Amino acid sequence: MKLILSGYGTMGKVVEELAIEKGHQIVGVFSTINIENCPYQIISDAERLANADAIIDFSHPNNTKRLLEGAKIHKLPIIVATTGARDQLQNLMNQASQYCPIFFSANMSYGVHVFTQALKYLTPLLSESFDIEIIERHHNKKIDAPSGTAIKLLEAIQEIDSSFIPIYDRSQTEHKRDKKEIGMSSIRGGTIVGEHEVLFAGTDEVIEITHRAQSKRIFADGSIKAAQKIKDFSAGFYTFSNL
């Protein structure tokens, strides 16, 4: 495939490395900001993108926004892996999907997708007698919290029971935990690639489900595989569930 990278930060370079290993070609980088020492042509106008099979976006919401706004013109398949400004980007993805295939996942790991499916199975079995908490851990350079994946896990539970409410800060309240609370905890430090844990705490027993990313390459691999799938699809919005 001929690929355009949207953004050329840490993840962009991981995608570049793995894509080349797999025999694909990087034909340009879309970025609204200057990038030093980039070995590819940098395109800042989303309406003037090079011919390519797909665009893989691991960037900043501002960059992704411009990319999606240009979809009406460029009509190239886009893999969106940027997780900040979720509501705004979701609206733009819905609009862009009228003109080209758009794939989105808050986490490009297929293992995390299976994790969410497991939660949908477990929630009705455990939610009556177990308290649910979500804990995520990431490196000290991550700027958004909670992570997009933590929100994805929360939404998987809410899809089964919409009465669950996320609680992000308990420091200003003094009351017992409500049965329908889901505490959302974010830890930032060092070089942790990404860990997500859902804890079901019952009486005298605890069930913990954890996904640990041991390398950023799993996210790059998932994005490349998604690009291979959707590059020939018709316009529409795609996720792991309908890929």
PDB file of all heavy atoms in Angstrom, residues 177-204:
ATOM      1  N   ARG A 177     -19.786   4.960  48.490  1.00  0.00           N
ATOM      2  CA  ARG A 177     -19.810   4.692  47.053  1.00  0.00           C
ATOM      3  C   ARG A 177     -21.204   4.262  46.607  1.00  0.00           C
ATOM      4  O   ARG A 177     -21.819   3.367  47.196  1.00  0.00           O
ATOM      5  CB  ARG A 177     -18.817   3.556  46.772  1.00  0.00           C
ATOM      6  CG  ARG A 177     -18.624   3.224  45.321  1.00  0.00           C
ATOM      7  CD  ARG A 177     -17.811   1.945  45.206  1.00  0.00           C
ATOM      8  NE  ARG A 177     -17.274   1.784  43.865  1.00  0.00           N
ATOM      9  CZ  ARG A 177     -17.970   1.430  42.809  1.00  0.00           C
ATOM     10  NH1 ARG A 177     -19.269   1.198  42.930  1.00  0.00           N
ATOM     11  NH2 ARG A 177     -17.398   1.292  41.620  1.00  0.00           N
ATOM     12  N   ASP A 178     -21.694   4.887  45.538  1.00  0.00           N
ATOM     13  CA  ASP A 178     -22.969   4.484  44.965  1.00  0.00           C
ATOM     14  C   ASP A 178     -22.769   3.221  44.129  1.00  0.00           C
ATOM     15  O   ASP A 178     -21.722   3.045  43.502  1.00  0.00           O
ATOM     16  CB  ASP A 178     -23.533   5.608  44.081  1.00  0.00           C
ATOM     17  CG  ASP A 178     -24.934   5.292  43.585  1.00  0.00           C
ATOM     18  OD1 ASP A 178     -25.056   4.646  42.520  1.00  0.00           O
ATOM     19  OD2 ASP A 178     -25.889   5.671  44.284  1.00  0.00           O
ATOM     20  N   LYS A 179     -23.759   2.373  44.131  1.00  0.00           N
ATOM     21  CA  LYS A 179     -23.657   1.102  43.412  1.00  0.00           C
ATOM     22  C   LYS A 179     -23.438   1.301  41.908  1.00  0.00           C
ATOM     23  O   LYS A 179     -22.819   0.466  41.240  1.00  0.00           O
ATOM     24  CB  LYS A 179     -24.942   0.293  43.631  1.00  0.00           C
ATOM     25  CG  LYS A 179     -24.841  -1.152  43.212  1.00  0.00           C
ATOM     26  CD  LYS A 179     -23.829  -1.887  44.083  1.00  0.00           C
ATOM     27  CE  LYS A 179     -23.582  -3.291  43.566  1.00  0.00           C
ATOM     28  NZ  LYS A 179     -22.432  -3.916  44.265  1.00  0.00           N
ATOM     29  N   LYS A 180     -23.923   2.416  41.400  1.00  0.00           N
ATOM     30  CA  LYS A 180     -23.822   2.647  39.961  1.00  0.00           C
ATOM     31  C   LYS A 180     -22.632   3.530  39.570  1.00  0.00           C
ATOM     32  O   LYS A 180     -22.551   3.991  38.430  1.00  0.00           O
ATOM     33  CB  LYS A 180     -25.124   3.261  39.444  1.00  0.00           C
ATOM     34  CG  LYS A 180     -26.293   2.272  39.455  1.00  0.00           C
ATOM     35  CD  LYS A 180     -26.007   1.073  38.546  1.00  0.00           C
ATOM     36  CE  LYS A 180     -27.187   0.130  38.485  1.00  0.00           C
ATOM     37  NZ  LYS A 180     -26.922  -1.036  37.591  1.00  0.00           N
ATOM     38  N   GLU A 181     -21.756   3.786  40.514  1.00  0.00           N
ATOM     39  CA  GLU A 181     -20.531   4.518  40.187  1.00  0.00           C
ATOM     40  C   GLU A 181     -19.526   3.598  39.504  1.00  0.00           C
ATOM     41  O   GLU A 181     -19.432   2.411  39.834  1.00  0.00           O
ATOM     42  CB  GLU A 181     -19.856   5.043  41.466  1.00  0.00           C
ATOM     43  CG  GLU A 181     -20.541   6.199  42.125  1.00  0.00           C
ATOM     44  CD  GLU A 181     -19.738   6.689  43.329  1.00  0.00           C
ATOM     45  OE1 GLU A 181     -18.554   6.320  43.455  1.00  0.00           O
ATOM     46  OE2 GLU A 181     -20.319   7.428  44.129  1.00  0.00           O
ATOM     47  N   ILE A 182     -18.782   4.145  38.581  1.00  0.00           N
ATOM     48  CA  ILE A 182     -17.572   3.476  38.088  1.00  0.00           C
ATOM     49  C   ILE A 182     -16.433   4.481  38.260  1.00  0.00           C
ATOM     50  O   ILE A 182     -16.382   5.502  37.575  1.00  0.00           O
ATOM     51  CB  ILE A 182     -17.692   3.064  36.607  1.00  0.00           C
ATOM     52  CG1 ILE A 182     -18.810   2.026  36.436  1.00  0.00           C
ATOM     53  CG2 ILE A 182     -16.362   2.485  36.119  1.00  0.00           C
ATOM     54  CD1 ILE A 182     -18.982   1.526  35.002  1.00  0.00           C
ATOM     55  N   GLY A 183     -15.559   4.223  39.199  1.00  0.00           N
ATOM     56  CA  GLY A 183     -14.420   5.100  39.413  1.00  0.00           C
ATOM     57  C   GLY A 183     -13.438   4.992  38.267  1.00  0.00           C
ATOM     58  O   GLY A 183     -13.106   3.896  37.812  1.00  0.00           O
ATOM     59  N   MET A 184     -12.985   6.149  37.742  1.00  0.00           N
ATOM     60  CA  MET A 184     -12.035   6.184  36.635  1.00  0.00           C
ATOM     61  C   MET A 184     -10.716   6.738  37.159  1.00  0.00           C
ATOM     62  O   MET A 184     -10.642   7.907  37.561  1.00  0.00           O
ATOM     63  CB  MET A 184     -12.560   7.085  35.509  1.00  0.00           C
ATOM     64  CG  MET A 184     -13.952   6.719  34.993  1.00  0.00           C
ATOM     65  SD  MET A 184     -13.977   5.232  33.977  1.00  0.00           S
ATOM     66  CE  MET A 184     -13.185   5.800  32.481  1.00  0.00           C
ATOM     67  N   SER A 185      -9.677   5.936  37.192  1.00  0.00           N
ATOM     68  CA  SER A 185      -8.386   6.356  37.745  1.00  0.00           C
ATOM     69  C   SER A 185      -7.320   6.360  36.662  1.00  0.00           C
ATOM     70  O   SER A 185      -7.206   5.400  35.895  1.00  0.00           O
ATOM     71  CB  SER A 185      -7.963   5.408  38.872  1.00  0.00           C
ATOM     72  OG  SER A 185      -8.943   5.366  39.888  1.00  0.00           O
ATOM     73  N   SER A 186      -6.555   7.447  36.595  1.00  0.00           N
ATOM     74  CA  SER A 186      -5.476   7.578  35.597  1.00  0.00           C
ATOM     75  C   SER A 186      -4.138   7.730  36.298  1.00  0.00           C
ATOM     76  O   SER A 186      -3.993   8.559  37.195  1.00  0.00           O
ATOM     77  CB  SER A 186      -5.724   8.809  34.708  1.00  0.00           C
ATOM     78  OG  SER A 186      -6.931   8.676  33.996  1.00  0.00           O
ATOM     79  N   ILE A 187      -3.187   6.942  35.899  1.00  0.00           N
ATOM     80  CA  ILE A 187      -1.828   6.988  36.443  1.00  0.00           C
ATOM     81  C   ILE A 187      -0.882   7.339  35.302  1.00  0.00           C
ATOM     82  O   ILE A 187      -0.986   6.780  34.202  1.00  0.00           O
ATOM     83  CB  ILE A 187      -1.458   5.619  37.064  1.00  0.00           C
ATOM     84  CG1 ILE A 187      -2.384   5.325  38.258  1.00  0.00           C
ATOM     85  CG2 ILE A 187       0.020   5.585  37.483  1.00  0.00           C
ATOM     86  CD1 ILE A 187      -2.293   3.907  38.773  1.00  0.00           C
ATOM     87  N   ARG A 188       0.037   8.280  35.541  1.00  0.00           N
ATOM     88  CA  ARG A 188       0.996   8.688  34.520  1.00  0.00           C
ATOM     89  C   ARG A 188       2.407   8.577  35.078  1.00  0.00           C
ATOM     90  O   ARG A 188       2.699   9.125  36.157  1.00  0.00           O
ATOM     91  CB  ARG A 188       0.753  10.142  34.086  1.00  0.00           C
ATOM     92  CG  ARG A 188      -0.604  10.365  33.435  1.00  0.00           C
ATOM     93  CD  ARG A 188      -0.641   9.752  32.032  1.00  0.00           C
ATOM     94  NE  ARG A 188      -1.954   9.889  31.415  1.00  0.00           N
ATOM     95  CZ  ARG A 188      -2.917   8.963  31.481  1.00  0.00           C
ATOM     96  NH1 ARG A 188      -2.707   7.849  32.168  1.00  0.00           N
ATOM     97  NH2 ARG A 188      -4.065   9.138  30.882  1.00  0.00           N
ATOM     98  N   GLY A 189       3.292   7.910  34.340  1.00  0.00           N
ATOM     99  CA  GLY A 189       4.661   7.825  34.817  1.00  0.00           C
ATOM    100  C   GLY A 189       5.571   7.040  33.891  1.00  0.00           C
ATOM    101  O   GLY A 189       5.131   6.118  33.187  1.00  0.00           O
ATOM    102  N   GLY A 190       6.824   7.441  33.869  1.00  0.00           N
ATOM    103  CA  GLY A 190       7.852   6.691  33.156  1.00  0.00           C
ATOM    104  C   GLY A 190       7.508   6.410  31.702  1.00  0.00           C
ATOM    105  O   GLY A 190       7.025   7.291  30.988  1.00  0.00           O
ATOM    106  N   THR A 191       7.753   5.202  31.308  1.00  0.00           N
ATOM    107  CA  THR A 191       7.570   4.819  29.897  1.00  0.00           C
ATOM    108  C   THR A 191       6.494   3.746  29.730  1.00  0.00           C
ATOM    109  O   THR A 191       6.540   2.976  28.764  1.00  0.00           O
ATOM    110  CB  THR A 191       8.906   4.305  29.320  1.00  0.00           C
ATOM    111  OG1 THR A 191       9.346   3.188  30.117  1.00  0.00           O
ATOM    112  CG2 THR A 191       9.969   5.381  29.322  1.00  0.00           C
ATOM    113  N   ILE A 192       5.559   3.688  30.656  1.00  0.00           N
ATOM    114  CA  ILE A 192       4.489   2.680  30.554  1.00  0.00           C
ATOM    115  C   ILE A 192       3.780   2.836  29.209  1.00  0.00           C
ATOM    116  O   ILE A 192       3.240   3.900  28.907  1.00  0.00           O
ATOM    117  CB  ILE A 192       3.465   2.838  31.699  1.00  0.00           C
ATOM    118  CG1 ILE A 192       4.140   2.697  33.061  1.00  0.00           C
ATOM    119  CG2 ILE A 192       2.357   1.797  31.546  1.00  0.00           C
ATOM    120  CD1 ILE A 192       3.234   3.054  34.236  1.00  0.00           C
ATOM    121  N   VAL A 193       3.772   1.804  28.413  1.00  0.00           N
ATOM    122  CA  VAL A 193       3.170   1.880  27.074  1.00  0.00           C
ATOM    123  C   VAL A 193       1.662   2.058  27.178  1.00  0.00           C
ATOM    124  O   VAL A 193       1.069   2.901  26.499  1.00  0.00           O
ATOM    125  CB  VAL A 193       3.507   0.607  26.263  1.00  0.00           C
ATOM    126  CG1 VAL A 193       2.779   0.630  24.921  1.00  0.00           C
ATOM    127  CG2 VAL A 193       5.008   0.495  26.048  1.00  0.00           C
ATOM    128  N   GLY A 194       1.036   1.278  28.031  1.00  0.00           N
ATOM    129  CA  GLY A 194      -0.411   1.388  28.208  1.00  0.00           C
ATOM    130  C   GLY A 194      -0.959   0.163  28.923  1.00  0.00           C
ATOM    131  O   GLY A 194      -0.760  -0.967  28.455  1.00  0.00           O
ATOM    132  N   GLU A 195      -1.611   0.367  30.053  1.00  0.00           N
ATOM    133  CA  GLU A 195      -2.226  -0.734  30.795  1.00  0.00           C
ATOM    134  C   GLU A 195      -3.650  -0.331  31.157  1.00  0.00           C
ATOM    135  O   GLU A 195      -3.894   0.808  31.583  1.00  0.00           O
ATOM    136  CB  GLU A 195      -1.446  -1.043  32.075  1.00  0.00           C
ATOM    137  CG  GLU A 195      -0.030  -1.519  31.835  1.00  0.00           C
ATOM    138  CD  GLU A 195       0.699  -1.854  33.124  1.00  0.00           C
ATOM    139  OE1 GLU A 195       0.047  -1.844  34.199  1.00  0.00           O
ATOM    140  OE2 GLU A 195       1.906  -2.122  33.049  1.00  0.00           O
ATOM    141  N   HIS A 196      -4.572  -1.236  30.985  1.00  0.00           N
ATOM    142  CA  HIS A 196      -5.974  -0.983  31.342  1.00  0.00           C
ATOM    143  C   HIS A 196      -6.500  -2.146  32.163  1.00  0.00           C
ATOM    144  O   HIS A 196      -6.322  -3.307  31.782  1.00  0.00           O
ATOM    145  CB  HIS A 196      -6.818  -0.784  30.085  1.00  0.00           C
ATOM    146  CG  HIS A 196      -6.454   0.467  29.349  1.00  0.00           C
ATOM    147  ND1 HIS A 196      -5.433   0.518  28.418  1.00  0.00           N
ATOM    148  CD2 HIS A 196      -6.940   1.734  29.439  1.00  0.00           C
ATOM    149  CE1 HIS A 196      -5.320   1.755  27.955  1.00  0.00           C
ATOM    150  NE2 HIS A 196      -6.219   2.508  28.555  1.00  0.00           N
ATOM    151  N   GLU A 197      -7.119  -1.786  33.268  1.00  0.00           N
ATOM    152  CA  GLU A 197      -7.605  -2.810  34.187  1.00  0.00           C
ATOM    153  C   GLU A 197      -9.054  -2.491  34.561  1.00  0.00           C
ATOM    154  O   GLU A 197      -9.390  -1.338  34.864  1.00  0.00           O
ATOM    155  CB  GLU A 197      -6.732  -2.815  35.453  1.00  0.00           C
ATOM    156  CG  GLU A 197      -7.205  -3.743  36.550  1.00  0.00           C
ATOM    157  CD  GLU A 197      -6.331  -3.618  37.789  1.00  0.00           C
ATOM    158  OE1 GLU A 197      -5.207  -3.101  37.690  1.00  0.00           O
ATOM    159  OE2 GLU A 197      -6.795  -4.031  38.864  1.00  0.00           O
ATOM    160  N   VAL A 198      -9.900  -3.488  34.511  1.00  0.00           N
ATOM    161  CA  VAL A 198     -11.266  -3.353  35.031  1.00  0.00           C
ATOM    162  C   VAL A 198     -11.367  -4.264  36.236  1.00  0.00           C
ATOM    163  O   VAL A 198     -11.065  -5.461  36.150  1.00  0.00           O
ATOM    164  CB  VAL A 198     -12.318  -3.715  33.977  1.00  0.00           C
ATOM    165  CG1 VAL A 198     -13.720  -3.649  34.595  1.00  0.00           C
ATOM    166  CG2 VAL A 198     -12.231  -2.763  32.794  1.00  0.00           C
ATOM    167  N   LEU A 199     -11.750  -3.674  37.350  1.00  0.00           N
ATOM    168  CA  LEU A 199     -11.793  -4.397  38.614  1.00  0.00           C
ATOM    169  C   LEU A 199     -13.248  -4.582  39.037  1.00  0.00           C
ATOM    170  O   LEU A 199     -14.006  -3.612  39.108  1.00  0.00           O
ATOM    171  CB  LEU A 199     -11.024  -3.595  39.664  1.00  0.00           C
ATOM    172  CG  LEU A 199     -10.867  -4.156  41.078  1.00  0.00           C
ATOM    173  CD1 LEU A 199      -9.528  -3.709  41.643  1.00  0.00           C
ATOM    174  CD2 LEU A 199     -11.997  -3.659  41.969  1.00  0.00           C
ATOM    175  N   PHE A 200     -13.639  -5.815  39.288  1.00  0.00           N
ATOM    176  CA  PHE A 200     -14.948  -6.141  39.843  1.00  0.00           C
ATOM    177  C   PHE A 200     -14.718  -6.549  41.296  1.00  0.00           C
ATOM    178  O   PHE A 200     -14.132  -7.604  41.563  1.00  0.00           O
ATOM    179  CB  PHE A 200     -15.595  -7.293  39.071  1.00  0.00           C
ATOM    180  CG  PHE A 200     -15.967  -6.969  37.645  1.00  0.00           C
ATOM    181  CD1 PHE A 200     -15.050  -7.149  36.613  1.00  0.00           C
ATOM    182  CD2 PHE A 200     -17.233  -6.483  37.340  1.00  0.00           C
ATOM    183  CE1 PHE A 200     -15.396  -6.859  35.301  1.00  0.00           C
ATOM    184  CE2 PHE A 200     -17.584  -6.196  36.022  1.00  0.00           C
ATOM    185  CZ  PHE A 200     -16.672  -6.379  35.006  1.00  0.00           C
ATOM    186  N   ALA A 201     -15.120  -5.689  42.217  1.00  0.00           N
ATOM    187  CA  ALA A 201     -14.863  -5.938  43.647  1.00  0.00           C
ATOM    188  C   ALA A 201     -16.149  -6.380  44.334  1.00  0.00           C
ATOM    189  O   ALA A 201     -17.112  -5.607  44.443  1.00  0.00           O
ATOM    190  CB  ALA A 201     -14.316  -4.673  44.302  1.00  0.00           C
ATOM    191  N   GLY A 202     -16.172  -7.614  44.787  1.00  0.00           N
ATOM    192  CA  GLY A 202     -17.340  -8.135  45.486  1.00  0.00           C
ATOM    193  C   GLY A 202     -17.038  -8.372  46.954  1.00  0.00           C
ATOM    194  O   GLY A 202     -16.037  -7.882  47.488  1.00  0.00           O
ATOM    195  N   THR A 203     -17.891  -9.090  47.633  1.00  0.00           N
ATOM    196  CA  THR A 203     -17.691  -9.407  49.040  1.00  0.00           C
ATOM    197  C   THR A 203     -16.715 -10.571  49.165  1.00  0.00           C
ATOM    198  O   THR A 203     -16.984 -11.684  48.699  1.00  0.00           O
ATOM    199  CB  THR A 203     -19.043  -9.786  49.695  1.00  0.00           C
ATOM    200  OG1 THR A 203     -19.952  -8.695  49.543  1.00  0.00           O
ATOM    201  CG2 THR A 203     -18.847 -10.090  51.175  1.00  0.00           C
ATOM    202  N   ASP A 204     -15.558 -10.283  49.724  1.00  0.00           N
ATOM    203  CA  ASP A 204     -14.513 -11.293  49.966  1.00  0.00           C
ATOM    204  C   ASP A 204     -13.919 -11.876  48.681  1.00  0.00           C
ATOM    205  O   ASP A 204     -13.290 -12.933  48.715  1.00  0.00           O
ATOM    206  CB  ASP A 204     -15.051 -12.443  50.838  1.00  0.00           C
ATOM    207  CG  ASP A 204     -15.496 -11.960  52.208  1.00  0.00           C
ATOM    208  OD1 ASP A 204     -14.923 -10.965  52.700  1.00  0.00           O
ATOM    209  OD2 ASP A 204     -16.420 -12.557  52.775  1.00  0.00           O
TER     210      ASP A 204
END
